[in-house]
Amino acid sequence: GQQLNQSPQSMFIQEGEDVSMNCTSSSIFNTWLWYKQDPGEGPVLLIALYKAGELTSNGRLTAQFGITRKDSFLNISASIPSDVGIYFCAGQLDPGNQFYFGTGTSLTVIP
Amino acid sequence: ETGVTQSPTHLIKTRGQQVTLRCSSQSGHNTVSWYQQALGQGPQFIFQYYREEENGRGNFPPRFSGLQFPNYSSELNVNALELDDSALYLCASGVLAGKETQYFGPGTRLLVL
């Protein structure tokens, strides 16, 4: 199966700071999705990306589809305590195929 | 709130038993996918159903099987449970057309003793 590597694995930041994380693969992907998961709950879709170079925002979150199509990036501006959770990327090689999930980035926001 | 529901929320079984997990998709969606998420890991794709047929399968043995019903509800069945089957089982619904996304339910936590 495909391996999606997320970095960093974990982050501890002060409230108000900006956050950057990324997801990389050795394969070219057609679609990138970003999710946030709280403990014991299902992942919540944050942003969907469908085109190389695409930059999409959702409030304080901004994600980009890498131009090589092998990576994607998620930025969170002015972090707040409710941003705490695990962020997953998910990639799809071709339409109709399965989504592969990354290893996750755990975010802790210190008030 | 995604509109995807799962039942039960928690389940305890013993090794060798069989289990059925249920999912109700979001209205208007025509695919349902099932994932297994072990503690500390990302979701792993089990299989997807589209129009009541299996439409892709991950690296899981045949004792993992599923059904999708005309009303787009779905079941995941696992036979001969093993200790390593203990995980959060997630279903996700979506639309197989154009720009695909997947919306997850809250999951079923399965513990195999």
Side-chain angles (χ1 to χ4, degrees):
Chain A
Q2 296 296 317
Q3 185 85 7
L4 297 185
N5 297 307
Q6 289 188 245
S7 65
Q9 185 176 358
S10 61
M11 304 179 73
F12 294 81
I13 62 168
Q14 292 288 136
E15 184 177 355
E17 288 184 353
D18 296 344
V19 172
S20 292
M21 61 186 77
N22 66 65
C23 182
T24 61
S25 170
S26 59
S27 299
I28 292 174
F29 281 82
N30 175 70
T31 298
W32 289 100
L33 306 177
W34 283 93
Y35 289 89
K36 177 177 180 281
Q37 187 175 28
D38 292 330
E41 299 184 12
V44 174
L45 181 66
L46 300 174
I47 293 177
L49 302 162
Y50 301 103
K51 188 177 177 181
E54 181 180 358
L55 189 71
T56 298
S57 293
N58 178 7
R60 293 178 296 105
L61 279 63
T62 302
Q64 185 164 23
F65 195 136
I67 57 173
T68 66
R69 298 176 60 193
K70 294 182 178 182
D71 52 13
S72 182
F73 310 90
L74 177 68
N75 296 308
I76 305 173
S77 62
S79 59
I80 59 178
S82 63
D83 291 333
V84 166
I86 301 178
Y87 291 79
F88 288 102
C89 63
Q92 184 187 44
L93 290 170
D94 293 297
N97 285 5
Q98 69 178 82
F99 280 91
Y100 296 93
F101 277 76
T103 49
T105 292
S106 175
L107 177 63
T108 300
V109 179
I110 303 166
Chain B
E1 195 71 30
T2 64
V4 180
T5 60
Q6 292 187 244
S7 63
T9 55
H10 297 84
L11 203 52
I12 300 175
K13 291 285 189 179
T14 56
R15 194 170 50 183
Q17 285 189 311
Q18 179 267 342
V19 69
T20 297
L21 309 182
R22 293 178 173 82
C23 172
S24 179
S25 300
Q26 185 169 323
S27 176
H29 287 181
N30 57 17
T31 69
V32 62
S33 301
W34 284 91
Y35 292 82
Q36 180 194 68
Q37 186 176 26
L39 207 58
Q41 298 183 19
Q44 297 292 314
F45 177 74
I46 302 175
F47 43 58
Q48 181 187 75
Y49 276 79
Y50 170 64
R51 293 184 176 176
E52 303 167 48
E53 298 280 337
E54 189 178 286
N55 182 48
R57 187 179 185 93
N59 189 27
F60 281 82
R63 60 188 184 85
F64 286 79
S65 64
L67 287 171
Q68 184 187 29
F69 301 102
N71 63 357
Y72 298 115
S73 63
S74 174
E75 287 182 356
L76 166 65
N77 298 291
V78 187
N79 293 323
L81 283 167
E82 301 177 358
L83 298 180
D84 285 348
D85 295 334
S86 295
L88 180 68
Y89 287 86
L90 297 160
C91 84
S93 71
V95 178
L96 191 66
K99 298 178 178 179
E100 292 184 50
T101 53
Q102 297 214 321
Y103 296 91
F104 282 87
T108 294
R109 174 72 63 186
L110 173 65
L111 177 62
V112 182
L113 301 176

